[in-house]
Amino acid sequence: MDFISEWVSAWKIPIGRWGREFFDFLTTNFAWFFDTLADGLATVLDGLTDLLLWFPPIVVVIAIAALAWFLKRSWKLAIGVALGLLFIINQDLWQETVETLVLVVAAATVSMAIGVPIGIWAAHNERVYRVLQPILDLMQTLPTFVYLIPVLILFGLGAAPGLIVTVIFASPAPIRLTYLGITSVPKPMLEAGQAFGATKRQLLWKVELPSALPTIMAGLTQCIMLSLSMVVIAALIGANGLGKPVVRALNSVNIPLGLEAGLAIVVLAIILDRMARIGGEQRK
């Protein structure tokens, strides 16, 4: 039976060669576009990072704690946020944390800006969702190191490819959960809106989106967690942040540095999750 395997392998489909030729075509003809996009994204990310680092760390801590209280009306959460950020300052990882925070917030914002409209479109057009399903499956299951290579070739090293890789990895979550939220709206609610003469746009904004909001916000929290999980991967292609000390610790087997950076990532993840989550009891 070996001759069958040899015959099949002899007719190998040259997917790798086709992929290389495709990316060679892109870099040859559209290098100006990718370079401009990378420079623009890097300028925005670096500008936001420099702005936050310009303020004294204590001022930023107070501002984030105040934002947490404003969003949740919970003084316990505000104190927890402040203590978590003070712990990060104590570990001398403030600059790396700010860089990671900017990258994660930017990636979550872009992912939600892409994912929510696409999820709404797919919820109203089953054919679109059937086309999207294999693409989303591919984006979520393809190992990150595989599409790290073409992104690195197209955009080079730095924060911009880190942002793009993170968006590719995180955007399927808001698309799927927005689709789930919109398609789960009870039909009696839609029929009641239609009975009152609501247009499709009014049904979307006044019935479907309010009903699907908890599910959409669950997509936001998932998006944030997925973005944070890409911090270390993004550091491998030059993105600054908490991933860099983790990579340094791995290369030098530095256990203290690895624990410090890992705990800082955990603290930041908890803070962002609690601030982005809706529902639950709010306390004054």
Side-chain angles (χ1 to χ4, degrees), residues 19-121:
R20 184 189 62 192
E21 292 174 353
F22 174 69
F23 284 104
D24 287 344
F25 169 78
L26 290 179
T27 53
T28 302
N29 296 279
F30 299 99
W32 59 270
F33 170 76
F34 296 111
D35 291 342
T36 302
L37 181 59
D39 292 341
L41 292 175
T43 300
V44 173
L45 294 175
D46 292 342
L48 291 173
T49 301
D50 292 340
L51 177 63
L52 289 177
L53 292 175
W54 181 80
F55 292 99
I58 298 300
V59 174
V60 179
V61 169
I62 294 173
I64 295 176
L67 177 62
W69 179 87
F70 174 77
L71 292 174
K72 298 299 180 181
R73 295 295 192 270
S74 171
W75 60 268
K76 291 182 180 179
L77 175 61
I79 292 175
V81 168
L83 290 176
L85 294 176
L86 289 174
F87 167 78
I88 290 173
I89 294 173
N90 174 261
Q91 298 300 303
D92 197 23
L93 291 169
W94 178 248
Q95 178 173 341
E96 291 85 352
T97 300
V98 169
E99 291 167 345
T100 295
L101 179 64
V102 169
L103 178 63
V104 169
V105 171
T109 301
V110 174
S111 297
M112 292 298 289
I114 295 173
V116 173
I118 292 178
I120 293 172
W121 184 28

Side-chain angles (χ1 to χ4, degrees), residues 117-148:
I118 292 178
I120 293 172
W121 184 28
H124 290 121
N125 191 328
E126 190 61 29
R127 182 179 299 175
V128 172
Y129 186 69
R130 285 199 299 269
V131 172
L132 281 176
Q133 259 190 318
I135 298 174
L136 297 177
D137 292 340
L138 180 67
M139 292 170 67
Q140 289 186 303
T141 57
L142 190 69
T144 51
F145 287 99
V146 174
Y147 56 78
L148 210 62

Side-chain angles (χ1 to χ4, degrees), residues 161-192:
L163 174 63
I164 292 168
V165 167
T166 306
V167 168
I168 293 172
F169 184 68
S171 56
I175 293 175
R176 289 187 185 277
L177 286 170
T178 300
Y179 170 84
L180 177 64
I182 297 295
T183 55
S184 299
V185 176
K187 287 187 178 180
M189 291 181 62
L190 296 174
E191 292 170 354

